[in-house]
């Protein structure tokens, strides 16, 4: 039994409504506890929906502020901004994604012995870790605290390369995201904030799993952080494009499936298509659960776009993009695909596209120049700018 993750916007909005009353005190007090599959009442499990923007960060943060005020929902809002911070961090340093891919491939080529197969097969003998592997494979999701323990045990107890753990998670997570996943793994390893690593402790696991697990004596609890160069300095955020004056063809993809709030009223959509390349997450592809989730989200985005602009909306292959673009002869407009596999494949298609960025990303991403704590200081300002309909949004 697992949480019923919302597969489309209607289900995501329903989950948002159901969880909103718990975004304040319940979230702040309960978010670190993982009572196990099907029992989690104090986290939203909205991440697969937010990741595809079946609901947007603005909608989720807006619901939290409206229900609890910016102080009452402070913890929940901060976590939503962690996502925006990681996205911005990678967007300002796209070379980190390429460096991760190169290190992952080198680590896979160099690995010897059975330890990797045992870890991925959930056969390490560490009961909590093996249970999380099974849950990741079956549910396509893990609680945040479990992800932290999982990554820490992978790196420091099993002594496996962090890149291969990040790759394993990415292949199985419904919410798999280039920025949140890569940079969270780096953070656990101690190479995102150099020298500061996250060490999973048996007592912490026992406490926050409410005694479901107690790996006393099984974990390396005094490891040194992984050594690696610090993150590169940030570059400038590449400029986004403007909407053409005349008609255009709209191309949707898994990074942003709410075109209704991206495009202004009166936008002259003249053709619609969608692409998805979930298998491009890794040279080893992705789980069938992940592929199904991405296809369902894309189908929902296309169906809503078709209804909104009154025309058919087709799911096409990336290889068909040049013919589709040439066929209608219109400028192609697409939501900004952040650094990751979709952006890589779209860039490789050879089709010129106008890439639109949301106000949310435009405001948040350039601020991801240093650590999260300086970024966090700007949350009240960001809320005031991004949620202007919430009178108390910018109150400290
Ligand atoms: C090793 C590791 C790998 C991770 N990989 C991913 C990933 O690929 N995709 C992903 O979306 N998240 C990732 N996370 C972050 C986090 O674990 C998930 O976003 C969160 O568990 C989702 O559950 P929820 O929707 O119930 O979150 P809630 O606690 O209800 O939070 C609401 C929303 O805020 C965002 N959020 C919350 N915590 C974080 C966080 N720490 N970092 C970034 N965003 C956050 C998510 O969009 C989430 O849906 C990873 C964390 C770790 C430690």
């Amino acid at each position: 039994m697992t949480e019923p993750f919302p597969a489309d916007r209607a289900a995501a909005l329903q989950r948002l409504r159901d969880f909103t009353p718990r975004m304040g005190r319940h979230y702040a007090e309960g978010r670190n506890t993982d009572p196990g599959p099907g029992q989690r009442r104090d986290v939203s499990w909205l991440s697969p929906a937010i990741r595809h923007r079946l609901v947007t960060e603005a909608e989720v943060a807006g619901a939290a502020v409206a229900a609890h005020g910016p102080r009452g929902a402070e913890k929940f809002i901060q976590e939503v901004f962690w996502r925006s911070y990681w996205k911005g961090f990678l967007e300002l340093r796209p070379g980190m994604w390429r460096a991760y891919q190169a290190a992952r491939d080198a680590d896979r080529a160099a690995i010897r012995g059975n330890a990797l197969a045992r870890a991925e097969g959930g056969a390490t003998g560490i009961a909590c870790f093996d249970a999380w592997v099974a849950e990741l494979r079956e549910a396509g999701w893990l609680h945040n605290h479990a992800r932290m323990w999982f990554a820490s045990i992978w790196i420091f107890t099993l002594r496996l390369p962090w890149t291969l753990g990040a790759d394993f998670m990415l292949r199985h997570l419904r919410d798999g995201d280039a920025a949140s996943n890569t940079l969270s793994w780096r953070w656990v390893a101690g190479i995102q904030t150099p020298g500061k690593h996250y060490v999973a402790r048996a007592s912490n696991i026992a406490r926050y799993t409410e005694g479901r697990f107690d790996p006393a004596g099984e974990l390396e609890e005094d490891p040194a952080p992984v050594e690696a160069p610090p993150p590169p300095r940030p570059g400038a955020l590449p400029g986004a494009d403007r909407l053409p004056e005349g008609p255009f063809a709209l191309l949707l993809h898994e990074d942003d499936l709410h075109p209704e709030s991206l495009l202004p009223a009166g936008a002259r959509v003249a053709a619609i298509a969608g692409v998805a390349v979930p298998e491009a997450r890794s040279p080893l592809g992705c789980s069938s659960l992940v592929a199904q989730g991405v296809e369902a989200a894309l189908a929902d985005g296309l169906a809503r776009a078709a209804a909104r602009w009154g025309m058919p909306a087709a799911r096409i292959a990336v290889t068909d993009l040049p013919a589709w673009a040439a066929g209608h002869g219109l400028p192609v407009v697409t939501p900004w695909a952040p650094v990751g596999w979709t952006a890589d494949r779209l860039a490789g298609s050879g089709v010129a596209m106008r890439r639109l960025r949301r106000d949310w990303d435009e405001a948040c991403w350039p601020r991801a120049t240093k650590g999260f704590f300086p970024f966090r200081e700007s949350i009240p300002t960001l809320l005031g700018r991004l949620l202007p309909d919430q009178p108390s949004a910018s109150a400290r």
Side-chain angles (χ1 to χ4, degrees):
M1 181 189 173
T2 187
E3 279 65 26
F5 299 98
D8 56 28
R9 177 164 167 81
L13 288 174
Q14 184 58 51
R15 175 62 191 153
L16 178 57
R17 280 192 291 274
D18 291 347
F19 188 68
T20 296
R22 302 187 78 80
M23 286 174 176
R25 188 173 53 82
H26 291 95
Y27 185 80
E29 292 173 3
R31 60 178 281 271
N32 282 326
T33 300
D34 183 3
Q39 306 299 318
R40 294 151 181 142
R41 299 183 66 224
D42 292 332
V43 292
S44 71
W45 21 280
L46 275 168
S47 54
I50 296 173
R51 187 260 170 270
H52 297 306
R53 282 192 165 148
L54 294 173
V55 288
T56 65
E57 292 88 338
E59 288 176 308
V60 173
V65 172
H68 303 279
R71 280 214 198 91
E74 187 177 23
K75 205 63 217 160
F76 182 80
I77 289 167
Q78 260 174 32
E79 295 305 313
V80 175
F81 275 105
W82 260 109
R83 170 178 167 76
S84 307
Y85 169 74
W86 285 141
K87 300 284 320 161
F89 198 95
L90 198 58
E91 217 59 25
L92 299 179
R93 301 163 184 83
M96 290 181 81
W97 172 240
R98 290 191 291 278
Y100 153 73
Q101 291 174 306
R104 172 200 64 196
D105 296 345
D107 286 339
R108 191 177 305 286
I111 197 132
R112 299 284 176 269
N114 300 330
L116 179 63
R118 276 201 300 274
E120 293 198 353
T124 65
I126 302 172
C128 55
F129 184 89
D130 294 346
W132 293 323
V133 170
E135 187 181 353
L136 184 58
R137 287 181 177 279
E138 285 158 26
W141 191 86
L142 288 177
H143 185 280
N144 181 59
H145 219 162
R147 296 184 202 206
M148 292 162 60
W149 296 319
F150 182 108
S152 183
I153 294 172
W154 179 286
I155 297 167
F156 299 118
T157 297
L158 303 176
R159 297 177 189 274
L160 287 164
W162 74 268
T163 57
L164 300 186
D167 179 66
F168 179 62
M169 260 197 192
L170 203 51
R171 283 184 273 135
H172 290 279
L173 279 175
R174 294 169 187 269
D175 61 29
D177 176 272
S180 289
N181 192 60
T182 312
L183 302 180
S184 295
W185 273 86
R186 287 180 55 95
W187 177 82
V188 171
I191 56 179
Q192 183 64 16
T193 315
K196 288 193 186 162
H197 53 329
Y198 175 77
V199 181
R201 300 192 191 287
S203 57
N204 182 268
I205 294 173
R207 175 176 172 194
Y208 287 103
T209 59
E210 299 184 324
R212 287 186 301 124
F213 301 111
D214 186 359
E218 296 179 328
L219 307 184
E220 170 56 83
E221 298 203 9
D222 189 23
V226 172
E227 285 187 20
R233 294 174 66 81
L237 188 64
D241 297 306
R242 284 171 183 275
L243 204 61
E245 301 266 311
F248 60 88
L250 175 65
L251 180 70
L252 297 183
H253 53 73
E254 69 159 304
D255 286 325
D256 193 323
L257 290 168
H258 194 233
E260 303 97 307
S261 64
L262 177 70
L263 298 176
R268 297 177 62 190
V269 178
I272 306 169
V275 291
V277 284
E279 71 284 0
R281 290 173 174 218
S282 159
L284 300 182
C286 66
S287 73
S288 53
L289 198 71
V290 164
Q292 283 161 19
V294 171
E295 291 298 343
L298 180 64
D300 179 57
L302 287 171
R304 280 182 283 102
R308 167 77 177 75
W309 287 287
M311 66 188 71
R315 194 258 193 246
I316 62 172
V318 174
T319 45
D320 294 336
L321 262 177
W324 176 73
H328 52 62
L330 296 168
V332 175
V333 168
T334 191
W336 186 274
V339 171
W341 54 91
T342 299
D344 291 345
R345 288 291 173 93
L346 292 183
S349 73
V351 174
M353 293 177 204
R354 301 202 189 184
R355 299 179 300 159
L356 305 186
R357 210 154 49 213
R358 286 179 185 269
D359 292 347
W360 187 276
D361 300 335
E362 204 69 46
C364 293
W365 290 355
R367 294 175 188 258
T369 51
K370 300 194 182 98
F372 180 71
F373 296 102
F375 179 93
R376 192 177 69 177
E377 296 296 305
S378 56
I379 290 178
T381 310
L382 288 167
L383 287 179
R385 176 171 159 191
L386 295 166
L387 303 178
D389 297 342
Q390 305 285 350
S392 59
S394 62
R396 277 185 173 269

